C-alpha cells in the first residue's frame, strides 16, 4: 500500500496444521514488506499468518504506539533501503530491522502525532476516492460522445490539420526560455500539458520547421 492502513480480511486462509509451519501474529502487529518492494506498512486487525518477505513487529504497547511505529517506518523508508542487500531483488533482513534506532516521544505525544497523521490520511483517502469517481465519470461521458447522432463529415471538411516537424539535423533546443515552446509527446499528461520539462526553440529553428508545417 502507498499509505498506512489495516489488514482485516484475506481471501487466503491457512489451516490449523499449516499454522505450525508459518509465522502468525496477533491484532495490532505492524507488518513491513521487506523484499523487492521495501517499506510498505500495514497493521493487523485480526491474527494472521504471513510469508518470508514480510516482517512482523509487535511493539511494547506501554512504550510504543503501533500506529506511531507504522508511520515512523513509512517516514524512514530511505533508512530501510540503505540497509537492504541483493542485486535482482533488494531485501532487508530481520536483524537489520531489529537494529533500527527509533526516537520515542511520550505516549501522549505519540497519540497526538498519530491523530494528526490519521486525519490527513483519511482526508487523502477521501480525495483519492473523489478523483477516482471523477475519472470514471469522465470516461463514461467520453464513451457517450460516440453514440451522439448527427451528420458525419471528414475532419478535413471542418478543420485544418497540421503535422508537427522534428528539429532539423545539426540544430537543437534553445538553452534559454523563448516565446516559442516546442511540444513533445512526453509533455502530454492527464489530458493536459506538463510544463515541468518544457523545451523551447529559437527563431532560427522556428523558421526552418515552419516551412514544413
Amino acid at each position: 500500500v502507498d499509505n498506512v492502513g489495516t489488514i482485516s480480511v484475506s481471501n487466503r486462509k491457512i489451516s490449523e496444521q499449516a499454522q505450525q509451519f508459518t509465522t502468525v501474529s496477533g491484532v495490532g502487529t505492524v507488518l513491513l514488506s521487506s523484499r523487492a518492494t521495501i517499506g510498505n506498512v500495514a497493521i493487523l486487525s485480526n491474527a494472521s499468518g504471513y510469508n518470508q518477505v514480510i516482517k512482523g513487529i509487535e511493539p511494547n504497547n506501554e512504550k510504543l504506539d503501533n500506529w506511531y511505529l507504522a508511520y515512523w517506518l513509512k517516514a524512514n523508508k530511505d533508512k530501510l533501503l540503505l540497509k537492504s542487500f541483493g542485486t535482482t531483488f533488494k531485501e532487508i533482513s530481520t536483524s537489520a530491522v531489529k537494529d533500527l534506532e527509533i526516537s520515542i516521544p511520550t505516549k501522549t505525544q505519540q497519540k497526538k502525532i498519530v491523530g494528526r497523521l490519521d486525519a490527513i490520511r483519511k482526508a487523502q483517502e477521501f480525495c483519492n476516492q473523489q478523483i477516482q469517481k471523477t475519472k470514471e465519470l469522465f470516461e463514461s461521458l467520453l464513451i457517450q460522445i460516440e453514440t451522439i447522432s448527427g451528420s458525419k463529415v471528414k475532419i478535413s471538411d471542418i478543420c485544418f490539420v497540421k503535422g508537427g516537424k522534428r528539429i532539423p539535423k545539426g540544430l537543437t533546443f534553445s538553452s534559454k526560455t523563448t516565446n516559442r515552446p516546442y511540444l513533445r509527446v512526453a509533455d502530454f499528461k492527464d489530458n493536459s500539458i506538463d510544463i515541468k520539462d518544457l523545451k523551447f526553440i529559437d527563431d532560427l529553428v522556428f523558421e526552418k520547421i515552419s516551412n514544413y508545417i
Side-chain angles (χ1 to χ4, degrees):
V1 291
D2 291 332
N3 215 323
V4 180
T6 58
I7 297 178
S8 57
V9 179
S10 174
N11 293 327
R12 295 182 178 182
K13 309 294 182 182
I14 58 175
S15 64
E16 292 184 4
Q17 183 178 5
Q19 292 182 25
Q20 302 175 23
F21 305 97
T22 189
T23 302
V24 177
S25 291
V27 176
T29 298
V30 178
L31 300 184
L32 172 70
S33 62
S34 59
R35 186 171 187 267
T37 302
I38 296 175
N40 282 352
V41 181
I43 296 177
L44 289 179
S45 293
N46 294 308
S48 301
Y50 44 92
N51 63 22
Q52 69 277 9
V53 301
I54 296 175
K55 308 303 181 193
I57 309 174
E58 302 176 4
N60 180 338
N61 292 327
E62 293 183 1
K63 297 181 178 180
L64 183 61
D65 182 271
N66 59 345
W67 277 97
Y68 177 84
L69 172 61
Y71 283 127
W72 183 89
L73 289 169
K74 197 69 179 176
N76 287 273
K77 184 176 180 177
D78 289 344
K79 289 184 179 180
L80 299 175
L81 292 173
L82 288 175
K83 290 181 174 291
S84 65
F85 63 91
T87 53
T88 304
F89 295 106
K90 292 291 185 180
E91 181 174 358
I92 183 170
S93 66
T94 301
S95 59
V97 174
K98 289 181 178 180
D99 287 339
L100 289 170
E101 293 186 354
I102 177 174
S103 298
I104 305 177
T106 66
K107 284 295 293 289
T108 299
Q109 289 176 312
Q110 291 178 43
K111 292 290 186 183
K112 287 182 178 179
I113 293 170
V114 168
R116 292 173 182 174
L117 290 172
D118 277 347
I120 296 172
R121 174 176 59 86
K122 290 175 182 178
Q124 185 180 43
E125 290 173 353
F126 176 78
C127 289
N128 289 338
Q129 291 172 1
Q130 298 306 306
I131 290 173
Q132 182 59 35
K133 289 179 180 179
T134 303
K135 287 182 178 180
E136 292 172 358
L137 176 60
F138 181 78
E139 294 297 329
S140 67
L141 291 176
L142 283 180
I143 294 173
Q144 292 180 30
I145 289 179
E146 183 60 26
T147 64
I148 297 175
S149 60
S151 59
K152 292 187 178 294
V153 298
K154 291 183 178 180
I155 291 290
S156 59
D157 292 336
I158 55 175
C159 300
F160 180 53
V161 182
K162 293 183 176 182
K165 175 65 178 177
R166 63 184 176 184
I167 294 179
K169 187 176 181 180
L171 299 177
T172 187
F173 299 117
S174 172
S175 59
K176 300 178 181 179
T177 299
T178 71
N179 61 347
R180 303 191 187 281
Y182 184 87
L183 299 179
R184 305 159 299 160
V185 172
D187 298 319
F188 286 77
K189 185 177 181 181
D190 296 332
N191 302 306
S192 185
I193 301 295
D194 186 353
I195 63 174
K196 292 180 180 178
D197 192 31
L198 197 62
K199 302 297 183 182
F200 296 87
I201 56 176
D202 57 27
D203 291 339
L204 175 61
V205 175
F206 177 79
E207 182 180 351
K208 288 185 176 295
I209 67 175
S210 61
N211 295 328
Y212 298 92
I213 297 177

